[in-house]
């Protein structure tokens, strides 16, 4: 097939970021603390000393960053709003902070002036600390969904005249599992992590998952009922999740394990949200009463909500190998091992600058096609990208030459074209992660000690999150805060144009 004319001419594309990873200015203009401020300042440190106090100082330098977007030719830009800038204490009866609103007003207006479409994520893991302190944050399903709905309404009311594209939550899986099972992310609760002094990894992640599902559902119903008719936008959610192949393709138990893994990753959220029904049966079978139920009233809300698109965050793929015997009560994978090579020793893909991330464009195509067929909604890829091998220790001069990233982008764009052109998937947009090198918010060290059970823990010691891995298409010098475009940043526009349908006008 010829890929050169597959992407629709209105295909949306651009770059993505998240508030805590780039903004800095954590104590300015009335911003309240979030669970990430607290987590990054714990003693002893759980983030290798890194915090978002300054980050990329985007709060003061956003015009310069948007100059880059213009230079790169981006049509769209995905960013997240910091809940505790808008409502410092977070709750539905707490005051709104006008200075926080004004900051995002400036951001949105600056983008529109440049002809760049804003895509707003309401929540990228930075829960107001006030809500965590008041009632346990996401552990309180009833309270958190009402507070999230009010926060979402404030955003629709204040920004919805200019913002037409909404993403409720970023990666609820990571928030639940890293935040409440492994404890590698804020708020760092865990009963399996020696650094955590509180938590229950067998129960809490599943409660937190339900709280986020109900929060999404309420935010969608509110938008569709009270804002969409006049504002005319669309609303979705960004789910992470890898594609899995069986470790031994001739073993039915590994085939089942691969399917089960994807249900634990994606079906957990996509079944209630897109299929409007209970969690996948394999989760219920393994987790039993640890997995909360939906009441009749909650099921009615699921049915009432209509999510317009599936936001896909995709980085890599893996092999799944079944485990014999019963799963541990803290297992969240589906009673299996995740591996980067199969039984024959074939690698799943080329290694990037992070051990967990291998480049697997062919499996990306399978992933896109699977997700489209299962959930039937248009897909926007809301994150995709990688650090290059060795990039974390490179100078700026070295890092701007990023052929690995260029190949990663180009091969993944080809997979999108094949999924659309040959498999019939509906894919409407793509956001490269990330506009800038930024603060890593995923302590993948912990999860992958469990995950890559074939490796020694020592292999992972050099993985810092913090400011180690560089996902940006722009190099950030964290001393001077100077930004320098990498080669990939300047090539993306061309990669899209080459694959876009030519519009013939009469
Ligand atoms: C995403 N994994 O999270 C997040 O949305 C970003 O904020 C983050 O910076 C980016 O990926 C890069 O890490 C992920 O372990 C975290 O497979 C971890 C994984 C995947 C995605």
């Amino acid at each position: 097939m010829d890929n050169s004319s597959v992407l629709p001419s209105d295909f949306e594309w651009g770059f993505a970021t998240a508030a805590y990873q780039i903004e800095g200015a954590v104590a300015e203009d009335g911003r309240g603390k979030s669970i990430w401020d607290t987590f990054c300042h714990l003693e002893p440190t759980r983030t290798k000393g890194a915090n978002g106090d300054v980050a990329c100082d985007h709060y003061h330098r956003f015009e310069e960053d948007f100059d880059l977007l213009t230079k790169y030719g981006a049509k769209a830009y995905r960013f997240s709003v910091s809940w505790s800038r808008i409502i410092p204490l977070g709750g539905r009866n707490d005051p709104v902070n006008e200075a926080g609103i004004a900051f995002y007003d400036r951001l949105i207006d600056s983008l529109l002036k440049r002809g760049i479409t804003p895509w707003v994520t309401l929540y990228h893991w930075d829960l107001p600390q006030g809500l965590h302190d008041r009632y346990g944050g996401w552990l309180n399903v009833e309270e958190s969904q009402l507070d999230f709905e009010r926060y979402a309404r404030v955003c629709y009311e204040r920004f919805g005249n200019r913002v037409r594209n909404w993403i409720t939550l970023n990666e609820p899986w990571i928030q639940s599992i890293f935040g409440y099972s492994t404890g590698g992310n804020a708020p760092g609760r865990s009963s399996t992590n020696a650094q955590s002094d509180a938590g229950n990894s067998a129960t809490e992640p599943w409660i937190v998952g339900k709280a986020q599902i109900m929060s999404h559902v309420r935010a969608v119903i509110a938008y569709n009922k009270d804002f969409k008719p006049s504002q005319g936008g669309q609303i979705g959610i960004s789910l992470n999740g890898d594609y899995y192949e069986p470790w031994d393709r001739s073993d039915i138990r590994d085939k089942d394990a691969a399917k089960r893994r994807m249900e634990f990753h994606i079906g957990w959220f996509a079944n209630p949200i897109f299929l409007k029904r209970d969690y996948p049966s394999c989760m219920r079978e393994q987790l039993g009463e640890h997995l909360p139920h939906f009441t009749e009233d909650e099921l009615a809300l699921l049915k009432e909500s209509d999510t317009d698109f599936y936001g896909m965050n995709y980085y890599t793929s893996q092999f799944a190998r079944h485990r014999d015997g019963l799963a541990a009560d803290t297992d969240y994978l589906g009673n299996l091992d995740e591996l980067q090579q199969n039984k024959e020793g074939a690698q799943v893909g080329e290694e990037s600058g992070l051990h967990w991330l291998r480049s697997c464009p062919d499996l990306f195509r399978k992933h896109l096609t699977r997700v489209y067929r299962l959930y039937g909604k248009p897909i926007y890829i809301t994150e995709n990208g990688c650090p290059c091998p060795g990039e974390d220790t490179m100078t700026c001069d070295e890092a701007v030459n990023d052929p690995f990233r260029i190949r990663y982008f180009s091969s993944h764009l080809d997979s999108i074209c094949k999924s659309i052109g040959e498999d019939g998937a509906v894919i409407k947009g793509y956001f490269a992660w990330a506009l800038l090198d930024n603060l890593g918010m995923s302590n993948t060290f912990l999860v992958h000690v469990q995950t890559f059970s074939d490796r020694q823990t020592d292999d992972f010691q050099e993985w810092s999150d913090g400011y180690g891995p560089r996902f940006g298409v722009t190099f950030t010098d964290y001393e001077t805060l100077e930004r320098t475009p990498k080669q990939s940043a300047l090539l993306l526009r061309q990669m899209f144009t080459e694959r876009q349908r030519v519009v013939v006008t009469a």
Side-chain angles (χ1 to χ4, degrees), residues 20-37:
Y20 191 67
Q21 294 178 277
I22 64 164
E23 284 181 2
V26 291
E28 266 174 70
D29 295 335
R31 175 184 178 277
K33 274 195 189 343
S34 84
I35 54 174
W36 269 92
D37 295 287

Side-chain angles (χ1 to χ4, degrees), residues 181-183 189-196 199-202 330 446 450:
S181 178
T182 67
R189 294 175 62 86
S190 173
S191 54
T192 59
N193 177 339
Q195 283 182 293
S196 303
N200 182 343
S201 302
T330 53
L446 285 159
Q450 168 172 349

Side-chain angles (χ1 to χ4, degrees), residues 425-479:
V426 177
I427 306 170
K428 299 175 84 165
Y430 177 96
F431 294 83
W433 182 269
L435 174 62
L436 305 168
D437 291 336
N438 61 58
L439 171 68
M441 272 170 88
S442 309
N443 198 331
T444 47
F445 169 73
L446 285 159
V447 76
H448 292 294
V449 173
Q450 168 172 349
T451 300
F452 298 125
S453 38
D454 56 330
R455 295 294 183 112
Q456 296 296 313
T457 29
D458 286 358
D459 290 355
F460 300 92
Q461 293 299 351
E462 83 279 10
W463 288 14
S464 72
D465 286 292
Y467 292 97
R470 291 182 172 273
F471 274 87
V473 295
T474 310
F475 184 90
T476 308
D477 181 325
Y478 294 113
E479 306 269 302

Side-chain angles (χ1 to χ4, degrees), residues 194-386:
Q195 283 182 293
S196 303
D197 55 16
N200 182 343
S201 302
T203 55
E204 290 188 2
W206 314 114
I207 297 167
V208 168
K210 181 177 173 187
Q212 292 178 90
I213 291 165
M214 295 315 301
S215 295
H216 166 83
V217 159
R218 283 193 183 269
V220 166
I221 293 173
Y223 185 71
N224 287 347
K225 206 163 102 219
D226 296 336
F227 299 91
K228 193 189 263 179
S230 58
Q231 297 180 350
Q234 55 174 350
I235 188 160
I237 183 168
S238 289
L239 300 180
N240 64 298
D242 304 353
Y243 189 80
Y244 290 81
E245 296 260 85
W247 178 73
D248 175 353
R249 75 179 80 230
S250 68
D251 190 334
I252 181 76
R253 293 168 304 176
D254 287 353
K255 285 191 196 162
D256 286 345
K259 282 192 206 142
R260 204 160 61 238
R261 181 68 192 92
M262 293 189 272
E263 293 289 30
F264 270 72
H265 233 155
I266 292 171
W268 178 9
F269 300 99
N271 265 35
I273 289 170
F274 293 104
L275 306 181
K276 306 177 180 200
R277 60 172 197 236
D278 195 23
Y279 301 111
S281 53
C282 63
M283 293 186 73
R284 181 68 64 202
E285 273 157 36
Q286 179 179 316
L287 300 166
E289 290 309 304
H290 286 167
L291 192 64
H293 290 271
F294 293 107
T295 64
E296 285 304 316
D297 288 350
E298 288 167 341
L299 281 170
L301 288 176
L302 294 183
K303 298 216 163 77
E304 190 186 334
S305 74
D306 218 340
T307 303
D308 296 309
F309 63 87
Y310 183 109
M312 178 188 286
N313 291 0
Y314 171 87
Y315 291 93
T316 196
S317 297
Q318 302 183 65
F319 296 107
R321 184 176 63 198
H322 77 279
R323 281 189 185 177
D324 293 316
L326 283 181
D329 72 346
T330 53
D331 176 74
Y332 51 81
L333 298 175
N335 203 20
L336 49 91
D337 291 312
E338 300 183 308
L339 302 154
Q340 292 183 311
Q341 33 176 275
N342 67 10
K343 194 180 178 192
E344 283 84 51
Q347 297 291 332
V348 74
E350 210 183 330
E351 189 162 345
S352 72
L354 273 173
H355 181 269
W356 61 266
L357 202 169
R358 283 173 181 264
S359 177
C360 318
D362 296 343
L363 298 183
F364 179 41
R365 170 184 173 178
K366 290 192 183 182
H367 190 57
L368 284 163
T369 303
R370 173 183 181 273
V371 163
Y372 181 70
R373 289 186 182 156
L374 270 177
Y375 308 115
K377 289 288 176 182
I379 297 173
Y380 288 88
I381 293 117
T382 43
E383 284 181 26
N384 178 239
C386 65

